[in-house]
Amino acid sequence: MSDEIKKGLLGIVVDETEVSKVMPEINSLTYRGYAAQDLCAKCKFEEVAYLILNGELPNKNQLKKFENQERKERKLSNTILQDIKRFPKTAHPMDVARTVVSIMGLEDKETKDNSIEANMRKVMRIFAKTPVALAAFYRVRKGKKIISPKKNLSFSENFFHMCFGKVPNKEIVKAFDVSLILYAEHSFNVSTFTARTITSSLSDIHGAITGAIASLKGPLHGGANEEVMHMMNKIKKPENALKWINKALDNKDVVMGFGHRVYKSGDSRVPTMREYFGKVAKIKKDKKYEKIYDIVEKVMIDRKNIHPNVDYPTGPTYHLMGFDTDFFTPIFVISRITGWSAHIIEQYAANKLIRPLASYKGNKHRKVLQLNQR
Ligand code: CMC
């Protein structure tokens, strides 16, 4: 009997979810039934984080309580602060994020408790502390003093404050918030599936998120937003873009920030993020990256019919906001913690060990020879 293999689980439906729905046929994405672009227009990131985790949008009181909890949990333990100071300055911040969440698991008194109540409390701690730890590393590796979080600042404002020591204007904060909303959740992507797989053995939430971060780091997934910026830096100026992209395609190179396993005629998140990329470029009075963006996109669509994914506009947007390139994927992490957590909780609620089969193609059965006979 020959096994039918679906490499990369291409087109395989492995479970059900209530968290989000990706609809490539109508180029749409909903979180708990709400269109992501509608949420971007009407909500701040905290409201969407609440929605993803709790299933409903919060009213004013619920939002206030959620924000207070997040703000209260921002403080890092001394151990983590000291560890961050000791980490190699050359470490990739994604590895820092992965390590820090893992250390949080060592410290958390509820690590072993997988009840929904304990998991929600742990989620709040991971959600609140991970950006603080990343911002601390952002400063430490530049030889700068760590900046403490401020309770009167929103999630996004506080991240800017801790990285740069100041909060930019409202439009920039809104663009950042929109990027977090668009990054928050995307069904059974690689990192979420990794988190669900780890959870399926009834392991703990810190382990599942640690694994998800490792999975997100790869350039075929979240790491693509950093690769987009490396590509734009290689192109240098709009005048070089046409030649560069045509040569890349002639060489059959994979162009980062393009293509998607599910969306084949455009990523539903791109139009919203492209709009905010334009707004940030206008505020920063820097149109260079937009020009490069448009030229590369046109050639990719004309020659290959391959459309950009969300990492294409977020890369240059974060660059214009002033973030170091290797912090782009960690920003993805601080948002996706919400989606991962909702899936982890969903997996616990209706668990079945994830254990696929493989079609064996190795050596035929053979006898072991004693060491002195080999
Ligand atoms: N550049 C050039 N060619 C591409 C690209 C690309 N970015 N993406 C797909 N193709 C080609 C691919 O070479 C293949 O051609 P052929 O049939 O001639 O061999 C065809 O399109 C189908 O691609 P595939 O790799 O079989 O499709 P997939 O569903 O397995 O891969 C993907 C999806 C995202 C891994 C792939 O499009 C890719 O490597 N993109 C670049 C990395 C990237 O931007 N990742 C971010 C993904 S979305 C957001 C996120 O998760 O962060």
Side-chain angles (χ1 to χ4, degrees):
M1 188 188 95
S2 80
D3 302 310
E4 197 199 348
I5 297 168
K6 294 281 188 184
K7 241 182 145 49
L9 298 179
L10 192 80
I12 302 285
V13 178
V14 295
D15 208 339
E16 296 176 314
T17 183
E18 291 180 4
V19 187
S20 68
K21 187 174 182 193
V22 183
M23 290 159 280
E25 59 292 343
I26 54 163
N27 202 16
S28 183
L29 164 67
T30 54
Y31 301 162
R32 307 278 191 190
Y34 296 104
Q37 54 272 46
D38 203 10
L39 292 166
C40 288
K42 296 176 190 148
C43 300
K44 61 198 271 202
F45 174 60
E46 287 89 329
E47 291 172 73
V48 178
Y50 182 101
L51 168 72
I52 290 171
L53 292 169
N54 296 283
E56 295 297 336
L57 278 167
N59 61 28
K60 273 189 185 165
N61 285 341
Q62 289 165 326
L63 180 63
K64 188 97 212 117
K65 199 171 157 211
F66 181 76
E67 287 182 327
N68 285 344
Q69 273 174 328
E70 186 268 312
R71 291 171 194 206
K72 206 180 89 204
E73 293 291 359
R74 283 177 185 169
K75 202 172 177 316
L76 297 176
S77 71
N78 272 337
T79 314
I80 293 187
L81 274 173
Q82 293 313 317
D83 284 342
I84 290 171
K85 289 180 190 161
R86 277 195 295 263
F87 288 158
K89 304 226 175 345
T90 51
H92 193 288
M94 281 300 277
D95 299 341
V96 169
R98 195 194 63 217
T99 305
V100 156
V101 172
S102 191
I103 300 173
M104 283 181 213
L106 305 180
E107 294 183 337
D108 203 301
K109 290 194 174 61
E110 296 189 288
T111 298
K112 284 188 194 145
D113 185 349
N114 283 333
S115 66
I116 179 148
E117 295 78 15
N119 274 335
M120 285 301 270
R121 288 191 291 272
K122 286 186 272 182
V123 168
M124 282 313 288
R125 294 195 272 272
I126 299 169
F127 178 55
K129 291 182 205 308
T130 308
V132 182
L134 281 163
F137 185 66
Y138 193 91
R139 308 272 309 169
V140 163
R141 72 170 184 180
K142 291 176 193 286
K144 293 185 174 167
K145 266 187 90 175
I146 294 175
I147 298 177
S148 302
K150 268 192 179 169
K151 278 199 179 146
N152 63 339
L153 296 178
S154 73
F155 187 90
S156 292
E157 288 169 343
N158 188 51
F159 192 65
F160 278 104
H161 157 73
M162 288 183 302
C163 288
F164 303 119
K166 55 182 187 237
V167 178
N169 71 35
K170 272 193 192 139
E171 286 85 358
I172 301 273
V173 174
K174 176 65 188 169
F176 190 75
D177 237 45
V178 163
S179 78
L180 297 185
I181 293 173
L182 294 173
Y183 267 148
E185 164 55 17
H186 211 233
S187 194
F188 276 39
N189 56 84
V190 196
S191 55
T192 301
F193 189 60
T194 302
R196 291 191 74 127
T197 304
I198 293 171
T199 305
S200 82
S201 73
L202 300 183
S203 186
D204 57 78
I205 198 162
H206 287 88
I209 292 184
T210 301
I213 295 172
S215 169
L216 187 74
K217 184 185 176 192
L220 297 188
H221 191 10
N225 60 9
E226 296 178 19
E227 296 299 328
V228 166
M229 205 56 229
H230 293 312
M231 174 180 82
M232 293 209 170
N233 286 336
K234 273 186 220 150
I235 295 174
K236 279 198 182 89
K237 43 187 183 176
E239 301 83 280
N240 298 340
L242 198 59
K243 194 171 162 204
W244 193 95
I245 184 63
N246 276 312
K247 193 165 168 230
L249 291 183
D250 292 344
N251 290 343
K252 303 214 175 312
D253 290 345
V254 172
V255 182
M256 291 299 165
F258 284 86
H260 198 275
R261 172 58 64 82
V262 185
Y263 299 114
K264 293 300 177 195
S265 54
D267 179 332
S268 70
R269 301 163 292 182
V270 168
T272 311
M273 199 58 229
R274 173 68 184 88
E275 184 193 331
Y276 280 89
F277 166 38
K279 288 183 186 195
V280 173
K282 198 168 171 202
I283 293 166
K284 295 286 175 184
K285 297 189 176 59
D286 187 344
K287 295 272 176 186
K288 179 175 94 173
Y289 297 107
E290 267 194 300
K291 287 184 187 154
I292 295 176
Y293 181 107
D294 290 341
I295 295 167
V296 170
E297 179 189 41
K298 186 171 185 317
V299 174
M300 283 301 285
I301 295 173
D302 288 351
R303 277 191 62 177
K304 300 278 290 183
N305 196 23
I306 297 178
H307 293 256
N309 58 57
V310 69
D311 292 319
Y312 191 50
T314 53
T317 307
Y318 291 152
H319 175 78
L320 288 170
M321 287 173 175
F323 290 104
D324 296 343
T325 304
D326 59 1
F327 263 73
F328 296 0
T329 320
I331 294 171
F332 194 156
V333 169
I334 64 175
S335 158
R336 187 58 65 88
I337 282 170
T338 58
W340 290 331
S341 302
H343 280 276
I344 291 166
I345 287 167
E346 195 174 65
Q347 183 71 35
Y348 280 127
N351 189 50
K352 181 84 178 165
L353 179 75
I354 297 172
R355 204 300 185 191
L357 299 174
S359 171
Y360 179 70
K361 60 168 202 172
N363 281 309
K364 288 213 172 85
H365 192 154
R366 48 190 174 157
K367 268 203 154 139
V368 178
L369 295 178
Q370 294 291 351
L371 185 58
N372 61 5
Q373 294 174 297
R374 277 178 254 146

